């Protein structure tokens, strides 16, 4: 009897060992694309949390700092560029989107993490949300404190991002932004505080979930089309149409929109007051510019709620597009991509209600 039990025990142990080896083999393959930002920043002292230098540490050092990642994924790093994200450009986005698409086509890549400065993380996330042609997870991560600070948030954020990128639960959810143990969707996330670690929010529409001890837990999903389901393809583009943002305020004038038009912009996003309202000193000039062929998107500087078609302006008459709930900075991205496909206002408005 004893002998039988021991034999059974040994069999179970052997089986367990086999399963463990198998599990290690089966770790997901995650590529980290590093682009700079505070997560790769260094300060003069451990208490320097403002006035540090962003984009200093290379990707290999970022990976070395978080050995725990090796338990949740096979990780490889690549330095795509090394910049503070306020200097992000359309050209950087095209390069990044092409690299992400190339990597995700490979059967030995299961997910991607992009390390990024927090200032424009939401814009890069939305651009990729519209241009990545794969359902595999793409996670963008940053940190609010530099790598040299006490309680730096970069290492835990990076660990969580890699775990989320390697999780099957993250497949098909669009591009995600993970900081501070929270998962945000690319379309709705925005930076809401200039310095705190919980700065990323999806105002009113809400975050998608949490990361608990390295496990992403999702509670909701965006209903808007993204990644493999979009109609945009940047694989053959080496330039995006010129679109800029003008900001509404009291005492509004046309200096900025005149300059944009003179510089050859093909579209302007107007961050209007309230529900995207336009001062009587601005509306006539925007209407004229539309007649000259520039595409005008009416958005709002408020930060919450939709800009409503034919609400504060007769958009049918002026032939403008409204941004729906997209912020002006995300409306700029969608308008650029829309203009790579069409100049038709109705079509562009449809895209603003689709993405
Ligand atoms: N200015 C920095 C950047 O966006 C801020 C940060 O990463 O938190 O690169």
């Amino acid at each position: 009897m004893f002998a039988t039990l021991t034999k059974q025990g040994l069999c179970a142990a052997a089986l367990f060992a086999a399963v463990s080896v198998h599990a290690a083999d089966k770790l997901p393959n995650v590529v980290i694309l590093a682009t700079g930002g505070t997560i790769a920043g260094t300060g003069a002292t451990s208490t320097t949390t403002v006035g540090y230098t962003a984009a200093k540490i290379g990707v290999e050092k970022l990976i070395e700092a978080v050995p725990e990642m090796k338990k949740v994924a096979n990780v490889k790093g690549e330095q795509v560029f090394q910049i503070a994200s306020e200097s992000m450009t359309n050209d950087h986005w095209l390069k990044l989107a092409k690299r992400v698409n190339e990597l995700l086509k490979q059967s030995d890549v299961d997910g991607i993490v992009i390390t990024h400065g927090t200032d424009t993380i939401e814009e890069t996330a939305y651009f990729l949300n519209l241009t990545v042609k794969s359902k595999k997870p793409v996670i963008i991560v940053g940190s609010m404190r530099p790598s040299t600070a006490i309680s730096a948030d970069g290492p835990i954020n990076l660990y969580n991002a890699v775990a989320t990128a390697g999780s099957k639960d993250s497949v098909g959810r669009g591009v995600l932004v993970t900081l501070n143990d929270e998962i945000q969707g690319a379309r709705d996330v925005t930076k809401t505080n200039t310095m705190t670690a919980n700065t990323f929010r999806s105002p009113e529409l809400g975050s998608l979930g949490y990361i608990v001890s390295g496990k992403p837990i999702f509670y909701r999903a965006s209903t808007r089309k993204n990644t493999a389901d979009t109609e945009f393809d940047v694989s053959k583009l080496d330039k995006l149409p010129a679109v800029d943002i003008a900001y509404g305020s009291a005492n509004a004038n046309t200096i900025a929109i005149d300059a944009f038009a003179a510089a050859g912009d093909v579209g302007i996003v107007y961050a209007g007051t309230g529900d995207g309202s336009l001062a009587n000193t601005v509306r006539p000039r925007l209407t004229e510019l539309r007649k000259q062929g520039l595409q005008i998107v009416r958005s709002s500087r408020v930060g919450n709620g939709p800009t409503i078609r034919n609400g504060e302006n007769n958009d049918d008459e002026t032939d403008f597009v409204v941004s729906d709930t997209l912020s002006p900075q995300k409306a700029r991205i969608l308008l650029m991509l829309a203009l790579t496909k069409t100049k038709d206002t109705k079509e562009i408005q449809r895209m603003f209600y689709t993405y």
Side-chain angles (χ1 to χ4, degrees), residues 36-39 52 54 83-86 116-120 143-144 191:
T38 293
I39 193 164
Y52 55 86
I83 59 170
S85 77
E86 57 270 30
H116 197 291
T118 61
D119 288 1
T120 58
S143 76
M144 288 301 285
K191 191 173 191 178

PDB file of all heavy atoms in Angstrom, residues 36-39 52 54 83-86 116-120 143-144 191, ligand 1:
ATOM      1  N   GLY A  36      11.754  56.794 -24.880  1.00  0.00           N
ATOM      2  CA  GLY A  36      12.227  57.897 -24.028  1.00  0.00           C
ATOM      3  C   GLY A  36      11.250  58.230 -22.918  1.00  0.00           C
ATOM      4  O   GLY A  36      10.589  57.352 -22.375  1.00  0.00           O
ATOM      5  N   GLY A  37      11.151  59.505 -22.561  1.00  0.00           N
ATOM      6  CA  GLY A  37      10.225  59.945 -21.513  1.00  0.00           C
ATOM      7  C   GLY A  37      10.827  59.884 -20.121  1.00  0.00           C
ATOM      8  O   GLY A  37      11.995  59.516 -19.943  1.00  0.00           O
ATOM      9  N   THR A  38      10.011  60.206 -19.142  1.00  0.00           N
ATOM     10  CA  THR A  38      10.443  60.224 -17.745  1.00  0.00           C
ATOM     11  C   THR A  38      10.775  58.826 -17.244  1.00  0.00           C
ATOM     12  O   THR A  38      11.634  58.650 -16.378  1.00  0.00           O
ATOM     13  CB  THR A  38       9.332  60.853 -16.872  1.00  0.00           C
ATOM     14  OG1 THR A  38       9.234  62.215 -17.251  1.00  0.00           O
ATOM     15  CG2 THR A  38       9.631  60.777 -15.399  1.00  0.00           C
ATOM     16  N   ILE A  39      10.115  57.813 -17.764  1.00  0.00           N
ATOM     17  CA  ILE A  39      10.399  56.433 -17.347  1.00  0.00           C
ATOM     18  C   ILE A  39      11.877  56.119 -17.610  1.00  0.00           C
ATOM     19  O   ILE A  39      12.474  55.297 -16.916  1.00  0.00           O
ATOM     20  CB  ILE A  39       9.432  55.436 -18.053  1.00  0.00           C
ATOM     21  CG1 ILE A  39       9.502  54.058 -17.400  1.00  0.00           C
ATOM     22  CG2 ILE A  39       9.677  55.370 -19.548  1.00  0.00           C
ATOM     23  CD1 ILE A  39       8.344  53.139 -17.766  1.00  0.00           C
ATOM     24  N   TYR A  52      14.166  67.127 -13.622  1.00  0.00           N
ATOM     25  CA  TYR A  52      15.080  66.048 -14.018  1.00  0.00           C
ATOM     26  C   TYR A  52      15.212  66.053 -15.549  1.00  0.00           C
ATOM     27  O   TYR A  52      14.540  66.841 -16.233  1.00  0.00           O
ATOM     28  CB  TYR A  52      14.494  64.705 -13.542  1.00  0.00           C
ATOM     29  CG  TYR A  52      13.099  64.496 -14.045  1.00  0.00           C
ATOM     30  CD1 TYR A  52      12.877  63.945 -15.304  1.00  0.00           C
ATOM     31  CD2 TYR A  52      11.986  64.895 -13.304  1.00  0.00           C
ATOM     32  CE1 TYR A  52      11.598  63.797 -15.808  1.00  0.00           C
ATOM     33  CE2 TYR A  52      10.700  64.752 -13.791  1.00  0.00           C
ATOM     34  CZ  TYR A  52      10.521  64.210 -15.048  1.00  0.00           C
ATOM     35  OH  TYR A  52       9.261  64.088 -15.550  1.00  0.00           O
ATOM     36  N   ALA A  54      14.538  63.960 -18.945  1.00  0.00           N
ATOM     37  CA  ALA A  54      13.841  62.792 -19.520  1.00  0.00           C
ATOM     38  C   ALA A  54      14.738  62.132 -20.572  1.00  0.00           C
ATOM     39  O   ALA A  54      15.704  62.723 -21.043  1.00  0.00           O
ATOM     40  CB  ALA A  54      12.526  63.234 -20.147  1.00  0.00           C
ATOM     41  N   ILE A  83      13.478  60.281 -26.852  1.00  0.00           N
ATOM     42  CA  ILE A  83      13.054  61.690 -26.786  1.00  0.00           C
ATOM     43  C   ILE A  83      12.090  61.907 -25.626  1.00  0.00           C
ATOM     44  O   ILE A  83      11.477  60.967 -25.120  1.00  0.00           O
ATOM     45  CB  ILE A  83      12.339  62.132 -28.093  1.00  0.00           C
ATOM     46  CG1 ILE A  83      11.099  61.247 -28.357  1.00  0.00           C
ATOM     47  CG2 ILE A  83      13.273  62.120 -29.282  1.00  0.00           C
ATOM     48  CD1 ILE A  83      10.205  61.758 -29.461  1.00  0.00           C
ATOM     49  N   ALA A  84      11.974  63.168 -25.216  1.00  0.00           N
ATOM     50  CA  ALA A  84      10.887  63.555 -24.309  1.00  0.00           C
ATOM     51  C   ALA A  84       9.643  63.661 -25.183  1.00  0.00           C
ATOM     52  O   ALA A  84       9.713  64.135 -26.323  1.00  0.00           O
ATOM     53  CB  ALA A  84      11.211  64.878 -23.646  1.00  0.00           C
ATOM     54  N   SER A  85       8.503  63.225 -24.669  1.00  0.00           N
ATOM     55  CA  SER A  85       7.367  63.036 -25.584  1.00  0.00           C
ATOM     56  C   SER A  85       6.717  64.337 -26.042  1.00  0.00           C
ATOM     57  O   SER A  85       5.921  64.335 -26.972  1.00  0.00           O
ATOM     58  CB  SER A  85       6.334  62.097 -24.976  1.00  0.00           C
ATOM     59  OG  SER A  85       5.558  62.739 -24.010  1.00  0.00           O
ATOM     60  N   GLU A  86       7.070  65.475 -25.404  1.00  0.00           N
ATOM     61  CA  GLU A  86       6.579  66.750 -25.949  1.00  0.00           C
ATOM     62  C   GLU A  86       7.178  67.020 -27.331  1.00  0.00           C
ATOM     63  O   GLU A  86       6.690  67.868 -28.073  1.00  0.00           O
ATOM     64  CB  GLU A  86       6.860  67.924 -24.989  1.00  0.00           C
ATOM     65  CG  GLU A  86       8.319  68.138 -24.606  1.00  0.00           C
ATOM     66  CD  GLU A  86       8.734  67.352 -23.354  1.00  0.00           C
ATOM     67  OE1 GLU A  86       8.169  66.268 -23.113  1.00  0.00           O
ATOM     68  OE2 GLU A  86       9.622  67.835 -22.631  1.00  0.00           O
ATOM     69  N   HIS A 116       7.234  55.341 -22.975  1.00  0.00           N
ATOM     70  CA  HIS A 116       6.909  56.624 -23.621  1.00  0.00           C
ATOM     71  C   HIS A 116       6.786  57.706 -22.557  1.00  0.00           C
ATOM     72  O   HIS A 116       6.375  57.442 -21.420  1.00  0.00           O
ATOM     73  CB  HIS A 116       5.541  56.423 -24.311  1.00  0.00           C
ATOM     74  CG  HIS A 116       5.173  57.422 -25.354  1.00  0.00           C
ATOM     75  ND1 HIS A 116       4.869  58.735 -25.070  1.00  0.00           N
ATOM     76  CD2 HIS A 116       5.027  57.299 -26.693  1.00  0.00           C
ATOM     77  CE1 HIS A 116       4.552  59.366 -26.186  1.00  0.00           C
ATOM     78  NE2 HIS A 116       4.650  58.511 -27.194  1.00  0.00           N
ATOM     79  N   GLY A 117       7.103  58.929 -22.920  1.00  0.00           N
ATOM     80  CA  GLY A 117       6.843  60.061 -22.028  1.00  0.00           C
ATOM     81  C   GLY A 117       5.353  60.253 -21.832  1.00  0.00           C
ATOM     82  O   GLY A 117       4.554  59.907 -22.707  1.00  0.00           O
ATOM     83  N   THR A 118       4.984  60.798 -20.687  1.00  0.00           N
ATOM     84  CA  THR A 118       3.549  60.866 -20.381  1.00  0.00           C
ATOM     85  C   THR A 118       2.832  62.052 -21.042  1.00  0.00           C
ATOM     86  O   THR A 118       1.609  62.048 -21.140  1.00  0.00           O
ATOM     87  CB  THR A 118       3.309  60.923 -18.861  1.00  0.00           C
ATOM     88  OG1 THR A 118       3.937  62.093 -18.338  1.00  0.00           O
ATOM     89  CG2 THR A 118       3.822  59.679 -18.168  1.00  0.00           C
ATOM     90  N   ASP A 119       3.611  63.067 -21.478  1.00  0.00           N
ATOM     91  CA  ASP A 119       2.943  64.279 -21.985  1.00  0.00           C
ATOM     92  C   ASP A 119       2.058  64.011 -23.203  1.00  0.00           C
ATOM     93  O   ASP A 119       0.974  64.585 -23.330  1.00  0.00           O
ATOM     94  CB  ASP A 119       3.982  65.354 -22.347  1.00  0.00           C
ATOM     95  CG  ASP A 119       4.616  65.972 -21.109  1.00  0.00           C
ATOM     96  OD1 ASP A 119       4.278  65.560 -19.986  1.00  0.00           O
ATOM     97  OD2 ASP A 119       5.471  66.870 -21.269  1.00  0.00           O
ATOM     98  N   THR A 120       2.530  63.160 -24.098  1.00  0.00           N
ATOM     99  CA  THR A 120       1.726  62.889 -25.311  1.00  0.00           C
ATOM    100  C   THR A 120       1.393  61.403 -25.450  1.00  0.00           C
ATOM    101  O   THR A 120       1.058  60.939 -26.542  1.00  0.00           O
ATOM    102  CB  THR A 120       2.469  63.361 -26.587  1.00  0.00           C
ATOM    103  OG1 THR A 120       3.733  62.677 -26.649  1.00  0.00           O
ATOM    104  CG2 THR A 120       2.690  64.860 -26.597  1.00  0.00           C
ATOM    105  N   SER A 143       5.994  56.808 -16.839  1.00  0.00           N
ATOM    106  CA  SER A 143       6.023  56.992 -15.383  1.00  0.00           C
ATOM    107  C   SER A 143       6.024  58.478 -15.105  1.00  0.00           C
ATOM    108  O   SER A 143       6.387  59.280 -15.968  1.00  0.00           O
ATOM    109  CB  SER A 143       7.257  56.336 -14.772  1.00  0.00           C
ATOM    110  OG  SER A 143       8.390  57.144 -15.036  1.00  0.00           O
ATOM    111  N   MET A 144       5.604  58.832 -13.923  1.00  0.00           N
ATOM    112  CA  MET A 144       5.581  60.249 -13.551  1.00  0.00           C
ATOM    113  C   MET A 144       6.842  60.652 -12.804  1.00  0.00           C
ATOM    114  O   MET A 144       7.174  61.820 -12.718  1.00  0.00           O
ATOM    115  CB  MET A 144       4.329  60.544 -12.717  1.00  0.00           C
ATOM    116  CG  MET A 144       3.045  60.521 -13.536  1.00  0.00           C
ATOM    117  SD  MET A 144       3.068  61.727 -14.886  1.00  0.00           S
ATOM    118  CE  MET A 144       2.818  63.251 -13.973  1.00  0.00           C
ATOM    119  N   LYS A 191      -4.207  62.807 -19.788  1.00  0.00           N
ATOM    120  CA  LYS A 191      -3.435  63.226 -18.606  1.00  0.00           C
ATOM    121  C   LYS A 191      -4.208  64.337 -17.911  1.00  0.00           C
ATOM    122  O   LYS A 191      -4.592  65.320 -18.553  1.00  0.00           O
ATOM    123  CB  LYS A 191      -2.054  63.724 -19.068  1.00  0.00           C
ATOM    124  CG  LYS A 191      -1.074  63.944 -17.938  1.00  0.00           C
ATOM    125  CD  LYS A 191       0.326  64.281 -18.467  1.00  0.00           C
ATOM    126  CE  LYS A 191       1.329  64.225 -17.335  1.00  0.00           C
ATOM    127  NZ  LYS A 191       2.706  64.498 -17.787  1.00  0.00           N
TER     128      LYS A 191
HETATM  129  N1  LIG B   1       8.005  65.592 -20.379  1.00  0.00           N
HETATM  130  C1  LIG B   1       8.058  64.180 -20.116  1.00  0.00           C
HETATM  131  C2  LIG B   1       7.701  63.433 -21.383  1.00  0.00           C
HETATM  132  O1  LIG B   1       6.575  63.447 -21.788  1.00  0.00           O
HETATM  133  C3  LIG B   1       7.120  63.864 -19.004  1.00  0.00           C
HETATM  134  C4  LIG B   1       6.933  62.410 -18.645  1.00  0.00           C
HETATM  135  O2  LIG B   1       7.360  61.492 -19.317  1.00  0.00           O
HETATM  136  O3  LIG B   1       6.277  62.178 -17.613  1.00  0.00           O
HETATM  137  O4  LIG B   1       8.562  62.850 -21.980  1.00  0.00           O
END
